Amino acid sequence: MNASIVNIGDELLIGQVVNTNATYMLQALTHSGIAVVEVCTVGDNADAIESAIRRCQEHSDLILLTGGLGPTKDDITKETLCRFFGSELYENTEALANIERLFAQRGFPLTETNRRQALVPRCCEMINNDHGTAPCMWFNAGKKAIVSLPGVPFEMEYLIAEKIIPLVRERFKIGSIVCRNILVQGIGESFLSDLLEDIEAAMPKNTKLAYLPQAGIIKLRITAIGEGASSHDEIEKQVEDVASAVSKAAGQYIVGENVESIAEAVSNMMHSRRCTLATAESCTGGHIAAMLTALPGASEYFKGGITAYCNEAKHKLLGVAQHTLDTYGAVSEQTVSEMVQGARTKYNADYAVATTGVAGPAGGTEATPVGTVWMAVATPTHTVTMKKHYNGRRQQVTDRATNEVLAMLIRECENLPPNA
């Protein structure tokens, strides 16, 4: 089964709003065995919306639209769908009751402008939006379906997960898609491709290996597509066979499997070992701690972090000796070693990571150019340090250093017994 996604809104085209809806929908559909063949973004323009729907109908069984369902004049999706299907708007009593309920809960009066959101095309199947005032609408177009959803992310996510995907499963024959991620660090994309060339050549035709570069990390995504539910076990085995071959060929570079990010890999490792972690950050500015605590369950292992940006903070909060700072400077092996040991001691943590460097664009010297980063990992038995020089802008340096030090942590944990 093929699907297309059409995101509607001028704010998306001018970059005012980041299109997170497309990412969520892609992940949800793929996980459900629905292959997405096109994603497009159009403005609040009736002709553009119609054109996108007609084009998507040529190659998709399911077309999901998001956006343009609010009460303001630029929200024209419903009117456009009426024109597309030759229908008319009417006030749906169930939709109106939902809107009245939500306004009463919030203590707001229901205005005529908001009441207009209860208008839906007569030819659609109205699906109530329990978390918002804009209803979801399902249109049958022969053997295909067009579904219009609100653009508010948490409303759209609820409707996709709780209502639309269950309906699609009920009304369409869905094949199977199996995906597996492998995170690789410490090797360039072209070198990794050469390493895996024979594996790719031997893969079944329905299996693909995608290279998804991030900041210093490559996410390998193995995807196999099968026709019909009966093939699910078979394609799972195909994916497992490819993953096993990749592990044998590139095992020394692998830092995570079946995860979306290196932070998730760290989280899984800390949980499985029942260990605790602390951070000491200078040039990464709290980015490491933010990545870790963005994931659920972080409180079970993450004890705390210190962003010690100036030398005074390094000295007073982390216990870095003034002599070390005066003699070797803030960006040095000696300083990062004392930072990481200070964090581990202060929080009484099993492990700690630390960074100090020059993220740029200014602040570099001939001896310590922009992009220089020292990082360290403290374990229950030892401390390791590493110096790196990254090219790129400030954010790229921060992102690469964050991923690098977390990869160091994973490797050091793997080299210790589980109870360490």
Side-chain angles (χ1 to χ4, degrees):
M1 179 183 184
N2 291 339
S4 290
I5 297 169
V6 180
N7 300 118
I8 301 165
D10 290 340
E11 68 279 6
L12 299 174
L13 290 177
I14 63 175
Q16 186 178 24
V17 173
V18 177
N19 189 2
T20 58
N21 282 357
T23 301
Y24 175 85
M25 295 166 81
L26 284 164
Q27 292 173 347
L29 292 171
T30 300
H31 181 72
S32 300
I34 302 168
V36 180
V37 295
E38 181 177 0
V39 178
C40 66
T41 304
V42 298
D44 297 302
N45 178 282
D47 291 338
I49 295 170
E50 278 200 51
S51 177
I53 294 172
R54 293 188 191 283
R55 185 181 68 254
C56 292
Q57 278 185 308
E58 295 176 3
H59 48 64
S60 294
D61 309 294
L62 174 68
I63 302 166
L64 299 180
L65 314 177
T66 65
L69 297 179
T72 56
K73 292 181 180 179
D74 64 334
D75 292 308
I76 61 170
T77 301
K78 285 189 293 190
E79 289 80 359
T80 303
L81 288 167
C82 269
R83 189 175 85 175
F84 184 84
F85 285 101
S87 185
E88 62 180 357
L89 293 174
Y90 81 106
E91 187 175 85
N92 183 283
T93 55
E94 189 180 356
L96 179 60
N98 184 59
I99 294 169
E100 290 173 337
R101 175 184 64 83
L102 289 169
F103 271 73
Q105 284 180 350
R106 298 166 185 172
F108 296 147
L110 180 62
T111 66
E112 282 303 310
T113 299
N114 289 110
R115 187 183 180 115
R116 287 181 59 231
Q117 291 195 279
L119 298 174
V120 299
R122 287 193 182 277
C123 64
C124 82
E125 175 184 348
M126 197 283 295
I127 300 172
N128 235 347
N129 174 9
D130 298 332
H131 295 305
T133 56
C136 175
M137 297 167 289
W138 179 295
F139 299 84
N140 291 313
K143 294 182 179 181
K144 302 185 177 186
I146 299 170
V147 182
S148 179
L149 299 120
V152 180
F154 76 90
E155 296 179 25
M156 177 276 300
E157 291 172 10
Y158 157 75
L159 286 163
I160 286 285
E162 300 297 327
K163 298 195 175 183
I164 300 308
I165 286 179
L167 279 175
V168 172
R169 288 187 178 281
E170 180 183 312
R171 299 176 182 184
F172 288 89
K173 182 180 179 181
I174 300 177
S176 296
I177 297 180
V178 176
C179 298
R180 181 161 178 175
N181 293 335
I182 299 176
L183 294 187
V184 176
Q185 191 273 337
I187 184 173
E189 184 178 359
S190 61
F191 295 103
L192 181 62
S193 178
D194 290 342
L195 194 63
L196 304 179
E197 183 177 4
D198 291 341
I199 295 172
E200 289 192 76
M203 290 192 310
K205 290 183 178 180
N206 68 322
T207 305
K208 294 182 179 179
L209 182 62
Y211 295 75
L212 309 174
Q214 300 174 357
I217 298 283
I218 300 169
K219 182 192 293 183
L220 290 173
R221 175 163 289 162
I222 307 164
T223 305
I225 301 175
E227 295 296 333
S230 60
S231 66
H232 187 79
D233 290 344
E234 180 184 342
I235 64 172
E236 268 198 337
K237 186 178 185 306
Q238 290 176 353
V239 169
E240 183 57 39
D241 289 344
V242 174
S244 178
V246 170
S247 294
K248 289 179 182 178
Q252 62 181 312
Y253 303 109
I254 294 175
V255 292
E257 296 191 49
N258 293 322
V259 292
E260 289 296 328
S261 67
I262 196 163
E264 186 179 350
V266 168
S267 175
N268 291 347
M269 179 168 284
M270 291 291 112
H271 279 109
S272 66
R273 288 173 169 263
R274 298 183 180 180
C275 291
T276 55
L277 176 67
T279 59
E281 302 182 62
S282 183
C283 63
T284 48
H287 189 48
I288 300 170
M291 280 184 62
L292 296 172
T293 56
L295 298 174
S299 61
E300 296 175 16
Y301 75 89
F302 186 72
K303 301 199 75 172
I306 293 173
T307 302
Y309 215 67
C310 66
N311 284 358
E312 183 181 8
K314 291 179 178 67
H315 174 60
K316 290 186 176 181
L317 299 179
L318 291 169
V320 178
Q322 191 62 49
H323 172 76
T324 300
L325 293 166
D326 293 340
T327 306
Y328 303 103
V331 184
S332 65
E333 182 177 20
Q334 292 80 2
T335 294
V336 80
S337 294
E338 293 185 28
M339 286 174 65
V340 77
Q341 291 160 9
R344 184 169 179 268
T345 300
K346 187 177 185 68
Y347 288 105
N348 191 29
D350 299 309
Y351 293 86
V353 297
T355 59
T356 182
V358 186
T365 65
E366 185 175 345
T368 310
V370 170
T372 302
V373 179
W374 274 100
M375 55 199 77
V377 173
T379 79
T381 61
H382 63 281
T383 297
V384 293
T385 60
M386 179 186 294
K387 180 183 180 182
K388 283 285 185 175
H389 184 269
Y390 302 114
N391 295 318
R393 297 180 179 179
R394 185 180 183 87
Q395 190 61 53
Q396 291 172 303
V397 172
T398 298
D399 290 342
R400 288 177 68 87
T402 296
N403 288 338
E404 186 96 49
V405 76
L406 291 180
M408 285 175 63
L409 172 63
I410 289 170
R411 290 191 171 107
E412 293 306 314
C413 282
E414 288 175 342
N415 291 330
L416 290 172
N419 60 347

